[in-house]
Amino acid sequence: MDVPRTLAIEGVALRYRLLRAGTGRAPLVLLHGVASNLTRWSEFVEQTSLRASWDLLRVDLRGHGGSLTRSAVGMERWSDDLAAILDAEGYRRAVPVGHSLGANLAVHFAARHPARVAGIALIDPVVPEALHGRARWIGRIAPLARPLIGAARLLNRLGLHRRRLPALDLRELDAATRRELLAAGRADALLRRYGSPFADLEFVPTATYLQDVVELVRPLPPLAAIGAPVLALLSNGITFTDLEATERLLHALPRLEIERLDAYHWPLTEQPVAVREAIERWCARLAS
């Protein structure tokens, strides 16, 4: 059974869900992207064959979904939150599986807590050196957002913030997107729906969203020092980074496998079966 759980850390209630297979393996820890939440992985958890043989733990990162806070967030806090959740659930090691910001977090977690990582799966990680087009300019100006983040947090402490944020169910949104947009070949509408900062800001505090973007484009830890097995699933039509440059830079990882997917930057929406099967094949190799 997929059970909702809560862990209080520093006054923040971290929400997550855990499905235990009870096989004693390191769990898959499923990590969402910018302005997202654990429902990003609902369809995966429902349909994957891994639920019979792997524990599946999906997390609302601090500042997102049910783990709402308007305090500071970032890679170090998120990594330490994950370590605390693993401790609370009795896991010594884990296999982080992340999309976009979540993929970058998986890398940071592996660098910060190397002994706790049995493998890593990355879905469209954002390698800052490979940013292109408009994303390159966002990467260059992102550090300038820090004063805006500080100002937003000051206003929050003064009580000036949105009182209620609507819930975002990505399981439902993905199904509607496939039905209404992808079936009609409207990729441009998909990009507007999933790539719009205005749409994202509806569901997360402003300071959290800005910090997400800053964290997304910050330098990754030295990849050559990460010795765990790594699977990278990269979209052919990747939206924010140059695909060839991303592949070349990821090859610094010593134990890397790469598979390409026919998608833009949201393969869990666009190609859920291909993502699921690729991760299942890799987990079978990892287990053996």
Side-chain angles (χ1 to χ4, degrees):
M1 182 180 296
D2 186 22
V3 180
R5 310 294 281 266
T6 302
L7 179 66
I9 301 178
E10 300 170 346
V12 177
L14 299 177
R15 311 288 184 181
Y16 59 100
R17 299 186 72 94
L18 176 61
L19 188 154
R20 288 190 185 269
T23 58
R25 288 184 177 142
L28 301 186
V29 179
L30 306 173
L31 305 171
H32 63 74
V34 170
S36 187
N37 61 61
L38 59 76
T39 64
R40 160 52 60 223
W41 293 96
S42 295
E43 184 174 17
F44 179 92
V45 169
E46 291 166 13
Q47 299 184 8
T48 181
S49 62
L50 297 173
R51 60 186 289 134
S53 53
W54 293 74
D55 292 2
L56 304 177
L57 192 160
R58 50 194 171 119
V59 181
D60 276 339
L61 297 178
R62 180 186 292 246
H64 302 77
S67 301
L68 180 64
T69 177
R70 290 179 169 82
S71 59
V73 298
M75 290 297 181
E76 289 76 19
R77 281 186 173 84
W78 291 327
S79 293
D80 292 346
D81 286 346
L82 295 181
I85 290 172
L86 294 176
D87 287 341
E89 297 296 342
Y91 295 115
R92 187 172 60 86
R93 303 174 77 203
V95 180
V97 181
H99 168 244
S100 190
L101 176 69
N104 287 27
L105 172 57
V107 175
H108 280 273
F109 180 81
R112 191 169 177 85
H113 301 281
R116 308 208 68 164
V117 173
I120 311 170
L122 311 174
I123 304 172
D124 283 341
V126 176
V127 183
E129 296 88 344
L131 290 169
H132 69 168
R134 185 175 63 177
R136 179 181 296 175
W137 289 103
I138 293 173
R140 289 174 178 173
I141 67 174
L144 302 179
R146 295 189 186 280
L148 295 177
I149 295 169
R153 292 215 174 96
L154 175 60
L155 292 174
N156 293 166
R157 288 194 293 272
L158 295 173
L160 300 175
H161 55 75
R162 288 171 285 167
R163 297 301 173 189
R164 303 188 69 176
L165 295 170
L168 173 62
D169 188 330
L170 286 156
R171 175 72 170 86
E172 293 183 3
L173 181 63
D174 286 353
T177 297
R178 287 194 290 269
R179 183 175 63 248
E180 299 166 6
L181 303 181
L182 296 182
R186 297 181 58 198
D188 57 334
L190 176 138
L191 294 174
R192 288 195 298 272
R193 177 175 289 185
Y194 286 84
S196 167
F198 302 105
D200 288 343
L201 278 165
E202 182 180 356
F203 301 103
V204 294
T206 301
T208 298
Y209 177 77
L210 292 173
Q211 190 70 60
D212 278 3
V213 174
V214 170
E215 297 299 304
L216 182 65
V217 298
R218 69 181 277 188
L220 293 173
L223 300 183
I226 295 175
V230 179
L231 171 68
L233 302 179
L234 304 180
S235 296
N236 285 328
I238 197 164
T239 303
F240 303 112
T241 59
D242 178 85
L243 178 58
E244 303 300 332
T246 297
E247 282 201 6
R248 184 177 67 253
L249 292 161
L250 288 178
H251 272 293
L253 291 159
R255 303 173 66 186
L256 174 69
E257 299 178 40
I258 290 180
E259 292 193 36
R260 291 193 180 189
L261 301 170
D262 185 17
Y264 287 94
H265 184 67
W266 299 274
L268 285 160
T269 303
E270 302 166 81
Q271 297 288 348
V273 175
V275 172
R276 190 166 64 246
E277 291 179 347
I279 293 174
E280 288 166 353
R281 290 192 300 269
W282 178 72
C283 283
R285 295 192 294 275
L286 195 64
S288 63

